[in-house]
Amino acid sequence: MHQMSAEMRACIEECLRCHSTCLGMAMNHCLEQGGKHAEPEHFRIMMACAEICRTSAAFMLIGTHHHKHTCRECAEICDECAKSCEQVGGMEECVQQCRRCAESCRKMAA
């Protein structure tokens, strides 16, 4: 395995936590709540967020320099997901995790 900085290890952990949080909240909380929680636009951004977080973590684990591209996109999508979850309401755990992941990914994209 390539040498990995503590900052990159932390980003991988944030990405994997965000993947788990968004996927779990979408599939459980949002589907069960229904209404605005399950509206297509909100649900799609949550699924996109979960997927780009998993992809970004994988790219960092692989050790490719392309992680900078996925991390940049991940930060943007996490910000959008946090905003959507905040607007829907009752999703503070997801909002906070998306913000932490976005901040960490911005550092990796730099």
Side-chain angles (χ1 to χ4, degrees):
M1 187 178 206
H2 65 98
Q3 282 291 11
M4 193 180 299
S5 69
E7 191 173 57
M8 184 176 284
R9 281 193 300 276
C11 188
I12 291 166
E13 290 173 14
E14 290 295 351
C15 285
L16 292 175
R17 271 195 293 274
C18 198
H19 165 76
S20 177
T21 300
C22 287
L23 185 60
M25 294 272 309
M27 290 299 164
N28 295 290
H29 176 78
C30 289
L31 286 180
E32 291 168 9
Q33 290 292 313
K36 60 187 175 180
H37 288 270
E39 286 179 359
E41 188 175 342
H42 174 69
F43 202 81
R44 282 187 189 111
I45 191 60
M46 289 193 72
M47 297 308 296
C49 189
E51 193 59 36
I52 193 64
C53 287
R54 181 170 64 170
T55 300
S56 290
F59 272 45
M60 286 182 278
L61 286 166
I62 290 167
T64 175
H65 68 279
H66 292 287
H67 79 271
K68 290 183 179 224
H69 307 296
T70 58
C71 285
R72 187 173 300 112
E73 190 63 23
C74 188
E76 185 177 325
I77 291 172
C78 283
D79 284 338
E80 190 176 326
C81 188
K83 183 178 177 185
S84 182
C85 290
E86 201 167 48
Q87 289 172 344
V88 166
M91 300 185 68
E92 194 56 33
E93 179 186 356
C94 199
V95 171
Q96 292 306 315
Q97 184 56 54
C98 285
R99 288 185 176 148
R100 283 192 299 269
C101 188
E103 181 180 339
S104 188
C105 277
R106 269 191 285 278
K107 292 176 186 172
M108 283 296 103

